[in-house]
Amino acid sequence: MTSSSSRSALWTVIPPWMVLGSAAILAGILLFLAFKNANREKEFMEEALLSEGKLLIRSIEAGSRAGMMGMGWGQGQIQMLLEETAQQPDVLYAAIVDPAGKIVSHSKPDRVGETLSLSLPREGETNHFFSPGDPGAFEVVRAFQPWLRHRGGGRGEGRRFHETRNCRKDLYIVVGLDTTPFEEARRQDMHQTALLFGMMFVVGAAGFFSLGLAQHYRSARRSLQDIRAFTTTLVNRMPVGLVAVDNDGRVQTTNEAALHILREDAHPPENLAEYPCFLSILERIRHEETVVEQEILCETADARQIPLLVNAAAMHGGPETAAGYVFLFSDITRIKALEEQLRRSERLASLGRLAAGIAHEIRNPLSSIKGFAAILAKRHGDDDRSREISEVMIQEVERLNRVISELLDFARPTELHREPCALSELIRRTLPLVEKEAAERNVRIGHRVEPEGLQAEIDPDRFAQILLNLYLNAVQAMDEGGDLRVEAFEDETHLLVRVSDTGPGIRPDHLPHIFDPYFTTKPAGVGLGLANVYKLVEAHEGEIRAENRPEGGTAFTVLIPASRPSSS
């Protein structure tokens, strides 16, 4: 009885400020992490918008340069080019101004002649800032120089293509990008942070209230159990993974998000040593005693490696003693994929500029060679050997010309003519095109569309080109026969078309490069087939994935948005 009374008295006299202090420490940690995350998001937004702005400016200059060289473009054609550019998603406007800020050309013709208040960059530099006149715009400004090459290498580096009377040399180009999607994402993060702090305040208030009203041990214990249940619910509802460990690395607390990310659905980890990727961060916290933010590559329970963004800090039980450590982490696989997609798009844009520059120079001598070969064949018609050599020359010239045509098709901007299209009819129309080659290789063909009337808003001709390339790749991968399977179905957000085969599959080290231009493992391949597929799928605002199936073979899955996003 005396022991029970002593425990009740002890719980009753615990100062409430200790509970509030603990909540304040945790809130401070979360506030610091939220502040760092907000800064990272802002920096990422500026970098992404600046990269997009530079890419658009280079595209406008490349288009203007091609028009000036080939068709003698003037201000009217450049005006039309700006108007077309402004129709792209996330582009608000594009304009060309003189050094005084007066608009010479604008994607909105009624604004020509107005004066913009801009901070013009020095030669060779690019200025970027959020527009003071339009809170939702991010402006990128650079000298407009369509007559200069903007790529290194070669003897023509930095030289002018030609001078033109229709284009001044002291103009600047301004591109305004829409920041609304980024700002909306930041607002959602702020709302989530505010909700988290509100819930933490509720937890602290509940602890203060329960301790203040505790009269004896049983009531205090019941209140603490309620608080623990509430805190557990809060931790489990967090959108990021949480793992708390003691000083020896033994896991004390995990949440559902952590188990899902680490693929530990059945058995939570007992010790942090089960995941060596976290041990280096733990050592840093022990030595630096500060909040640590680091990207790591973690091997999960199913032997997969995923990139994680980890924020970790020490939890102090006294002035100089750490009671444990808390790790907050999230899966950034999708972010890494978007970064890789951005890098791939930049590479494709560079290849397009290269193709436009060299195609003309190659085709002219090819035409001359073909003509001379034809003349040679006519003059030596009685000489079988000469005629045979001439025919080989003509065939090789035509083959090289086809390669150049494929390169130009790949480099040329894709124009889509969308219309509602029944996928079952499109698949049935394209499969017969490969039936002959499939029969020669003893490949069986099957398809399934569910539901049968499934429709998509696509360009039928371009999408047929996508399917035909995937069919041919699948058939040519099965030298000893097999099954080619085409399936079309839908989920909540996408229409999916999957082309799978039972061939040997793709080597893991080749998978990241199969959509790169001129990457091929075929002896007679050019390497533009899958690159064109990737470009056409991207033009449909979709995504393509390639994976080796567990039962053998390869599956290519094309994902198209179920409803086409509205263009601004």
Side-chain angles (χ1 to χ4, degrees):
M1 184 66 179
T2 303
S3 177
S4 177
S5 300
S6 300
R7 286 196 298 267
S8 296
L10 179 61
W11 283 104
T12 305
V13 299
I14 292 178
W17 61 264
M18 292 182 60
V19 180
L20 294 179
S22 300
I25 292 174
L26 184 56
I29 293 175
L30 294 176
L31 179 61
F32 180 78
L33 297 178
F35 178 78
K36 290 193 66 176
N37 185 57
N39 286 339
R40 281 175 59 89
E41 288 183 352
K42 184 176 180 181
E43 292 173 0
F44 176 79
M45 176 180 71
E46 291 187 10
E47 291 175 0
L49 289 173
L50 178 59
S51 177
E52 183 179 358
K54 288 183 177 179
L55 186 61
L56 284 172
I57 290 175
R58 290 197 296 269
S59 299
I60 293 173
E61 290 179 342
S64 301
R65 179 167 59 251
M68 292 177 185
M69 293 175 59
M71 295 171 284
W73 275 17
Q75 183 174 345
Q77 289 78 8
I78 295 178
Q79 172 71 31
M80 293 177 62
L81 179 60
L82 295 179
E83 293 176 13
E84 290 294 329
T85 302
Q87 294 179 7
Q88 298 185 31
D90 300 332
V91 180
L92 297 178
Y93 53 83
I96 298 176
V97 301
D98 62 15
K102 184 177 180 180
I103 298 176
V104 178
S105 296
H106 201 286
S107 56
K108 299 179 180 178
D110 56 345
R111 296 197 61 182
V112 175
E114 296 181 9
T115 300
L116 297 179
S117 177
L118 296 173
S119 174
L120 298 179
R122 290 180 293 183
E123 183 176 359
E125 295 182 355
T126 301
N127 281 1
H128 61 279
F129 45 84
F130 292 92
S131 173
D134 187 355
F138 181 86
E139 293 183 346
V140 181
V141 185
R142 196 180 74 183
F144 184 55
Q145 298 175 325
W147 54 86
L148 293 179
R149 295 184 186 268
H150 292 291
R151 61 180 186 273
R155 293 177 297 173
E157 180 180 1
R159 66 178 179 87
R160 298 178 183 272
F161 283 96
H162 73 289
E163 298 293 329
T164 174
R165 296 175 299 172
N166 298 326
C167 187
R168 295 168 53 183
K169 307 303 184 296
D170 59 345
L171 300 179
Y172 296 85
I173 183 168
V174 184
V175 174
L177 302 175
D178 187 8
T179 63
T180 302
F182 293 95
E183 293 295 340
E184 182 62 28
R186 292 187 66 195
R187 280 194 293 271
Q188 290 180 1
D189 287 344
M190 293 301 295
H191 291 163
Q192 292 180 358
T193 303
L195 177 61
L196 184 59
F197 275 98
M199 298 178 71
M200 291 303 303
F201 175 80
V202 172
V203 173
F208 176 81
F209 183 75
S210 62
L211 287 174
L213 298 181
Q215 298 296 327
H216 50 76
Y217 176 71
R218 289 184 179 179
S219 61
R221 182 180 179 184
R222 186 180 302 114
S223 297
L224 291 175
Q225 288 175 343
D226 293 340
I227 295 174
R228 175 173 293 182
F230 186 80
T231 305
T232 301
T233 302
L234 171 65
V235 170
N236 285 330
R237 296 292 178 86
M238 291 176 64
V240 298
L242 182 146
V243 174
V245 300
D246 60 16
N247 288 328
D248 297 325
R250 290 188 293 268
V251 175
Q252 303 298 313
T253 304
T254 60
N255 67 348
E256 295 178 0
L259 298 179
H260 176 71
I261 293 173
L262 300 176
R263 307 297 192 272
E264 291 281 5
D265 297 331
H267 304 288
E270 297 181 357
N271 196 292
L272 199 64
E274 297 180 27
Y275 291 94
C277 54
F278 289 100
L279 296 181
S280 61
I281 300 179
L282 182 60
E283 289 300 320
R284 284 186 60 187
I285 301 174
R286 285 173 173 169
H287 289 87
E288 300 176 9
E289 295 186 355
T290 183
V291 178
V292 173
E293 182 179 52
Q294 182 177 332
E295 290 186 9
I296 62 173
L297 194 63
C298 183
E299 183 174 351
T300 60
D302 55 359
R304 295 176 56 190
Q305 289 192 334
I306 58 174
L308 299 179
L309 176 61
V310 182
N311 293 276
M315 297 184 296
H316 292 279
E320 299 180 355
T321 305
Y325 306 93
V326 60
F327 296 81
L328 298 175
F329 52 90
S330 55
D331 186 351
I332 56 173
T333 302
R334 182 61 179 170
I335 295 177
K336 292 296 183 182
L338 291 175
E339 292 176 351
E340 176 59 29
Q341 185 177 2
L342 179 60
R343 287 191 291 268
R344 187 188 301 274
S345 299
E346 291 175 348
R347 290 197 302 269
L348 296 184
S350 299
L351 179 61
R353 292 192 296 272
L354 175 64
I358 67 173
H360 180 72
E361 299 297 330
I362 295 179
R363 272 189 162 174
N364 283 343
L366 282 181
S367 300
S368 301
I369 295 173
K370 183 177 179 181
F372 288 140
I375 294 173
L376 181 63
K378 290 181 180 180
R379 288 186 176 181
H380 301 277
D382 298 334
D383 188 347
D384 293 340
R385 180 60 179 169
S386 298
R387 186 173 61 254
E388 181 181 352
I389 293 175
S390 301
E391 290 175 353
V392 170
M393 290 174 60
I394 293 173
Q395 293 172 359
E396 290 301 307
V397 167
E398 291 176 347
R399 183 183 66 82
L400 186 55
N401 196 49
R402 285 195 299 271
V403 172
I404 296 175
S405 298
E406 291 179 3
L407 177 60
L408 286 175
D409 289 340
F410 172 74
R412 187 177 295 115
T414 304
E415 295 183 3
L416 299 183
H417 302 284
R418 293 177 181 265
E419 60 183 61
C421 177
L423 291 179
S424 57
E425 180 181 348
L426 182 62
I427 293 173
R428 282 194 290 267
R429 179 162 56 88
T430 53
L431 279 176
L433 300 177
V434 297
E435 283 183 348
K436 180 180 179 182
E437 185 170 352
E440 293 173 354
R441 295 172 179 264
N442 195 26
V443 173
R444 297 173 294 275
I445 299 177
H447 72 278
R448 176 179 66 88
V449 178
E450 189 175 328
E452 178 64 25
L454 184 61
Q455 288 196 343
E457 189 177 353
I458 56 176
D459 185 323
D461 294 335
R462 297 291 191 179
F463 209 82
Q465 186 178 350
I466 294 172
L467 294 178
L468 187 58
N469 271 289
L470 296 179
Y471 297 164
L472 289 173
N473 269 1
V475 171
Q476 293 169 3
M478 296 181 283
D479 293 330
E480 300 179 0
D483 293 297
L484 168 63
R485 185 73 177 169
V486 185
E487 300 171 280
F489 51 95
E490 61 181 341
D491 59 15
E492 295 180 355
T493 57
H494 290 86
L495 301 175
L496 294 90
V497 179
R498 179 173 295 140
V499 179
S500 57
D501 60 65
T502 57
I506 301 175
R507 285 173 44 180
D509 57 324
H510 287 172
L511 272 175
H513 307 289
I514 58 174
F515 297 111
D516 291 345
Y518 294 107
F519 179 84
T520 180
T521 58
K522 301 175 184 177
V526 177
L528 285 176
L530 287 180
N532 264 318
V533 168
Y534 183 90
K535 177 188 174 186
L536 293 175
V537 172
E538 193 176 51
H540 281 85
E541 295 145 358
E543 180 184 354
I544 183 168
R545 300 172 183 171
E547 58 184 353
N548 288 320
R549 302 192 305 166
E551 62 272 24
T554 307
F556 286 85
T557 305
V558 179
L559 296 88
I560 301 296
S563 58
R564 182 186 176 194
S566 60
S567 57
S568 55

